[in-house]
């Protein structure tokens, strides 16, 4: 039971990346419901296939003794784990901007709404480049600070999954529905 309770926040956290659908929809040439659905199905299918491949590969190699970080189970200098580490570095490098983008937009909207009017105006208004640079710098500095302060990302995913993700995934949409 304790293992299940520890795993639930990680699963809840995995569902909170849906905030990117708004940005992705805005980037589509003709964002019809059918095209958005097609892009979503393709992305989820590719991710599912890759996760199944890696999960089944690790479990079939090591059984119940596979490490939660599957790359730690394999020899450090073997070819496939090195390719896996490079792929993870690529994913982290390319996914970080996709996660920062909606966060930055939200931070800028909050600053425009609740920040001192003179300060926001001095930074070029709600969509001004100086405010964009300040918001981006704050988020990057916060990310670096967390990365330097935390030794295990699993602990952070558990905290975020149990506290923030639950409200973002379940409470906020319900509240918005009631408000509308």
């Amino acid at each position: 039971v304790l293992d299940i309770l520890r795993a639930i926040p990680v699963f809840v956290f995995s569902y909170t990346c849906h905030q990117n659908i708004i940005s992705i929809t805005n980037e589509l040439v003709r964002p019809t419901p059918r095209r958005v659905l097609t892009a979503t199905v393709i992305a989820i299918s590719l991710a599912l296939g890759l996760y199944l491949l890696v999960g089944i590969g690790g479990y079939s190699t090591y059984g119940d003794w596979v490490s939660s970080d599957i790359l730690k189970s394999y020899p450090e200098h073997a070819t496939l784990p090195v390719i896996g580490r490079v792929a993870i570095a690529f994913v982290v490098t390319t996914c970080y901007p996709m996660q920062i983008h909606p966060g930055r937009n939200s931070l800028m909207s909050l600053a425009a709404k609740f920040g001192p009017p003179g300060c926001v105006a001095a930074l070029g208004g709600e969509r001004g480049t100086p405010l964009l640079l300040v918001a981006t710098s704050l988020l990057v500095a916060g990310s670096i600070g967390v990365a330097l302060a935390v030794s295990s990302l699993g602990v952070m995913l558990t905290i975020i999954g149990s506290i923030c993700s639950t409200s973002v995934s379940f409470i906020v949409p319900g509240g918005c529905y009631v408000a509308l």
Side-chain angles (χ1 to χ4, degrees), residues 43-68:
I44 290 173
S45 299
L46 287 171
L48 175 65
L50 188 59
Y51 284 134
L52 283 173
L53 181 69
V54 170
I56 291 170
Y59 190 76
S60 64
T61 305
Y62 292 103
D64 290 337
W65 295 295
V66 69
S67 173
S68 61

Side-chain angles (χ1 to χ4, degrees), residues 110-154:
L110 287 172
K113 183 162 179 98
F114 298 111
C119 185
V120 174
L123 292 172
E126 182 178 355
R127 295 289 168 209
T129 302
L131 182 61
L132 181 118
L133 292 173
V134 168
T136 304
S137 298
L138 285 173
L139 289 171
V140 170
S143 300
I144 291 171
V146 169
L148 293 174
V150 175
S151 61
S152 171
L153 191 57

Side-chain angles (χ1 to χ4, degrees), residues 19-20 22-24 26-27 95-108 127 132 136 139:
Q19 81 265 11
N20 286 322
I22 295 167
S23 299
I24 292 168
N26 289 335
E27 295 295 323
C95 286
Y96 183 79
M98 291 201 52
Q99 294 299 322
I100 287 294
H101 188 267
R104 181 185 62 198
N105 288 344
S106 298
L107 185 61
M108 289 172 63
R127 295 289 168 209
L132 181 118
T136 304
L139 289 171

